[in-house]
Amino acid sequence: MKNPVIKMVFLQLILIGYGIGVRSVDQEYEKILDEQPYRSAFHFQPPKNWMNDPNGPMLYNGVYHLFYQYNPYAAIWGNISWGHSVSYNLVDWIHLEPALDPTEKYDINGCWSGSATLLAGESKPVILYTGSDFLGQQVQNLAMPKDLSDPLLREWLKSSHNPLMLPVEGIDPDFFRDPTTAWQGPDGSWRVLVGSQVGGHGCALLYRSRDFVKWERASGPLHESNKTAMWECPDFYPVGDDGRYVLKASFNDHDYYVLGSYDAETDEFGVVGVDFMDDVVQLRYDYGVFYASKTFYDDARKRRVLWGWVTEADSEADDVERGWSGLMSFPRSVLLDEDQKQLIQWPIEEVEELRGEKVALENKEIESGNVLEIGGITASQADVEVSFRVPNLEAVEVIDGGLLDPQMLCRQKNASVEGVFGPFGLLVLASDDLTEQTAVFFRVFRQNEKHVVLMCSDQSRSSLQTRVKEAIFGSFLDVDLDQEISLRTLVDHSIVESFGGKGKSCITSRVYPKLAIHNNSHVHAFNNGSKSVMISRLEAWSMSRARLVQVHTRRKPSFS
Ligand code: DQQ
């Protein structure tokens, strides 16, 4: 069934067959999108209110589940519950009522982040989450579905054994949270990591259990760093075919990862390459707005899928006025790069189901100072893929030989500062006269006899009126200049999610244009370098809106 409308109708019929009340909120949503130019059309967000971290993503019995930190009552952080939505394709969503609310002594101050694990040969999903308890201490709790025969697993029961893990023996009760998905060692025991800070060092504490109820802390953490404080939302998983593991930790407002080896017998993890904060240039999932992410293994498609929280970049007062805050990155598949030194991320292929009208061009030169409008698509809701060729690099700019911070470099040389090769790239969410624009671009330099490609996202002119928290983001891009420099950008009203070098560097930004909204938005290719560059290929699509259904059983539907 390829057609999304038929799929959604089919799904609604199944739900009705199960006696579950449903209602399509598509038309209401259409109206909301018209009235609210910053709501996303194909990036996940709840119908209203505050959302932060993705929690417990999983695939169970053919249904994808996404839980998330959610305030059911307001557009600011608080009353933290687990929002719950389900999907059959990770694109169209059925919004359910919250799966976990703060109701017990051990979570009365909030049901904070956690993960899902499939037990008993993948047939029994469970959730481990952090409770902020009646004393405000962080403890780890367990929840199970009330009825495994409910296709949507709408109701969850908290274990009578809660809390399972307490902040004892030197653990600070303020720094003990966000359990990972558990995995089973060769001895049959389960292992889980909990984010913490011990002795001032960020770390991932390791716990083991035979029955998932009694957990024992290992003598040392799986990994720690004396260069960071608290690690939030750790994630740990195998990647590639050669026994590599990814360890991700969230701190300093970003999601950093290291690659390493892991011995499942001894639970020893060793970083291969650069450790957390050991270099100016760090491995991050995303060099823009992207935090507290979580992955899950999608067994149906044999891939690892990553979700990240993309927060707002304007003020809390703006959030309150809009009645919502926060959305998710588009789900990305995560692979190990050929050189095994970094990850590659790419929007999951289901995004292509949303592609509509297409425009394409090939072998087009963009001369110095030129912009080229990519007409014929809905520029505020688009998927654009472009590859550039940079001919004859003899005149390339040379930069200082020391270690450079890419974000600083992007700040010094923003989209309007002329270089030699670059800035060239895309101007998205651009107004008619280009006074509003978000530029995602590259610059090529030579440093120490090697070519270096810088990728930047410049939001400094994204709105005539709204100031965004960080105006410029940047990253180095590890690409071979004999090949093309590629950029893919998903544009969705107030989110610009970009993938450079086929997913080697990702930059996500939030922007709030005043003029460049709906049909008044444009997308251009541009070149502000003194030398011409070639677009070897560009393809751009209008994107349809994801389909939404609201299930209402226990509470009133949210669109009321
Ligand atoms: N958000 C949750 C915490 C987590 C933080 C609370 C990360 O569990 O550490 O909403 O954004």
Side-chain angles (χ1 to χ4, degrees):
M1 247 186 303
K2 217 139 167 54
N3 184 322
V5 181
I6 298 178
K7 268 188 183 169
M8 216 56 180
V9 171
F10 183 68
L11 197 88
Q12 287 179 47
L13 289 176
I14 296 181
L15 296 176
I16 291 162
Y18 276 101
I20 298 172
V22 295
R23 125 186 128 90
S24 167
V25 286
D26 266 358
Q27 278 180 1
E28 284 152 271
Y29 206 71
E30 200 72 67
K31 207 169 135 236
I32 288 172
L33 279 183
D34 276 351
E35 287 162 4
Q36 290 217 13
Y38 307 135
R39 272 197 80 87
S40 57
F42 60 97
H43 283 77
F44 177 91
Q45 62 181 137
K48 62 181 183 183
N49 296 330
W50 168 272
M51 182 209 83
N52 57 300
D53 321 348
N55 291 153
M58 65 171 174
L59 171 67
Y60 180 67
N61 270 350
V63 177
Y64 291 105
H65 293 255
L66 177 64
F67 304 90
Y68 45 91
Q69 295 282 281
Y70 180 58
N71 182 350
Y73 308 110
I76 53 173
W77 189 90
N79 313 300
I80 290 295
S81 301
W82 274 42
H84 185 195
S85 300
V86 291
S87 174
Y88 55 85
N89 63 358
L90 292 169
V91 173
D92 303 305
W93 290 94
I94 302 171
H95 294 303
L96 305 172
E97 286 141 356
L100 300 173
D101 289 307
T103 52
E104 307 300 321
K105 258 179 103 168
Y106 52 77
D107 64 13
I108 195 71
N109 283 307
C111 298
W112 290 4
S113 284
S115 308
T117 301
L118 298 174
L119 304 182
E122 317 250 304
S123 66
K124 195 178 153 206
V126 295
I127 284 169
L128 277 176
Y129 70 99
T130 299
S132 176
D133 75 5
F134 67 111
L135 296 170
Q137 301 191 106
Q138 294 162 17
V139 299
Q140 316 313 322
N141 301 318
L142 177 67
M144 291 89 50
K146 184 173 173 190
D147 174 9
L148 275 178
S149 69
D150 172 1
L152 306 185
L153 304 179
R154 282 166 301 153
E155 291 186 66
W156 288 73
L157 294 178
K158 296 173 187 172
S159 166
S160 57
H161 300 287
N162 288 341
L164 306 185
M165 296 173 220
L166 292 163
V168 288
E169 294 164 2
I171 300 175
D172 187 323
D174 287 339
F175 298 138
F176 184 49
R177 56 185 185 267
D178 310 336
T180 60
T181 295
W183 70 99
Q184 228 165 354
D187 59 2
S189 286
W190 289 97
R191 276 96 167 132
V192 77
L193 302 178
V194 180
S196 190
Q197 173 184 309
V198 177
H201 300 174
C203 60
L205 301 176
L206 175 69
Y207 284 77
R208 297 192 189 90
S209 171
R210 291 212 72 82
D211 60 2
F212 229 82
V213 171
K214 274 188 249 83
W215 291 88
E216 222 171 273
R217 183 174 158 199
S219 54
L222 183 89
H223 195 55
E224 65 182 320
S225 166
N226 59 8
K227 300 205 166 74
T228 78
M230 171 72 192
W231 289 3
E232 297 188 307
C233 302
D235 198 4
F236 185 58
Y237 54 90
V239 69
D241 301 324
D242 295 325
R244 279 278 177 277
Y245 274 74
V246 176
L247 176 63
K248 183 277 295 189
S250 304
F251 51 84
N252 299 351
D253 288 337
H254 298 294
D255 277 15
Y256 296 87
Y257 69 88
V258 294
L259 295 168
S261 59
Y262 167 64
D263 182 333
E265 303 272 351
T266 58
D267 288 322
E268 274 169 60
F269 175 75
V271 172
V272 177
V274 180
D275 207 340
F276 290 114
M277 305 313 275
D278 260 0
D279 203 337
V280 184
V281 178
Q282 293 289 317
L283 290 175
R284 285 198 219 155
Y285 280 155
D286 196 295
Y287 295 84
V289 187
F290 186 98
Y291 194 67
S293 65
K294 201 165 282 296
T295 62
F296 74 102
Y297 185 68
D298 177 355
D299 200 33
R301 297 206 180 213
K302 308 292 177 223
R303 63 183 176 185
R304 184 155 290 269
V305 176
L306 168 71
W307 287 103
W309 166 40
V310 185
T311 190
E312 303 303 319
D314 53 356
S315 71
E316 189 174 285
D318 292 317
D319 298 353
V320 170
E321 197 184 317
R322 282 195 292 266
W324 55 270
S325 173
L327 42 82
M328 294 292 175
S329 62
F330 198 80
R332 305 175 181 177
S333 43
V334 181
L335 298 163
L336 188 60
D337 191 11
E338 271 173 8
D339 69 3
Q340 311 228 339
K341 290 191 179 142
Q342 65 168 94
L343 298 174
I344 302 275
Q345 300 162 65
W346 200 241
I348 55 160
E349 62 194 10
E350 288 89 328
V351 74
E352 292 167 25
E353 291 177 16
L354 297 173
R355 285 175 171 174
E357 301 94 349
K358 174 180 173 181
V359 291
L361 57 91
E362 261 177 359
N363 295 328
K364 179 97 189 152
E365 181 173 359
I366 323 188
E367 289 176 359
S368 169
N370 277 6
V371 290
L372 174 71
E373 175 151 17
I374 318 298
I377 56 161
T378 56
S380 57
Q381 220 171 281
D383 183 358
V384 186
E385 290 197 58
V386 57
S387 298
F388 295 95
R389 252 197 341 264
V390 186
N392 183 12
L393 280 162
E394 268 161 32
V396 71
E397 281 167 276
V398 176
I399 45 166
D400 178 11
L403 283 174
L404 290 169
D405 176 342
Q407 177 148 350
M408 287 286 289
L409 213 50
C410 290
R411 272 193 202 130
Q412 285 160 8
K413 294 171 184 283
N414 68 26
S416 28
V417 177
E418 187 191 272
V420 179
F421 293 104
F424 60 85
L426 297 173
L427 300 178
V428 300
L429 294 170
S431 59
D432 277 337
D433 57 359
L434 293 178
T435 51
E436 282 189 343
Q437 52 170 264
T438 296
V440 188
F441 62 88
F442 303 108
R443 284 174 187 274
V444 183
F445 300 104
R446 189 160 51 229
Q447 186 193 37
N448 300 333
E449 302 309 311
K450 274 181 22 201
H451 287 123
V452 175
V453 178
L454 183 69
M455 173 176 169
C456 309
S457 175
D458 179 352
Q459 297 82 241
S460 58
R461 294 166 68 191
S462 59
S463 168
L464 290 176
Q465 287 166 35
T466 315
R467 279 173 66 93
V468 290
K469 279 177 198 143
E470 286 271 8
I472 307 228
F473 298 118
S475 156
F476 288 124
L477 185 64
D478 182 17
V479 288
D480 181 352
L481 279 176
D482 295 337
Q483 319 269 311
E484 291 160 345
I485 306 179
S486 75
L487 173 65
R488 178 171 184 188
T489 297
L490 301 177
V491 184
D492 191 0
H493 299 273
S494 64
I495 177 168
V496 177
E497 201 176 354
S498 299
F499 301 82
K502 301 218 167 354
K504 288 188 180 215
S505 285
C506 309
I507 304 184
T508 300
S509 60
R510 297 300 307 278
V511 295
Y512 307 92
K514 288 280 186 294
L515 304 174
I517 59 172
H518 299 312
N519 295 336
N520 297 322
S521 182
H522 304 265
V523 56
H524 303 263
F526 81 104
N527 178 16
N528 273 345
S530 61
K531 299 278 182 195
S532 297
V533 290
M534 286 290 288
I535 294 184
S536 33
R537 180 154 186 82
L538 181 147
E539 292 176 288
W541 293 264
S542 295
M543 296 295 273
S544 321
R545 186 167 55 74
R547 312 234 141 225
L548 300 176
V549 166
Q550 183 101 29
V551 165
H552 49 97
T553 45
R554 288 176 288 143
R555 288 194 192 148
K556 281 174 72 182
S558 301
F559 281 110
S560 51

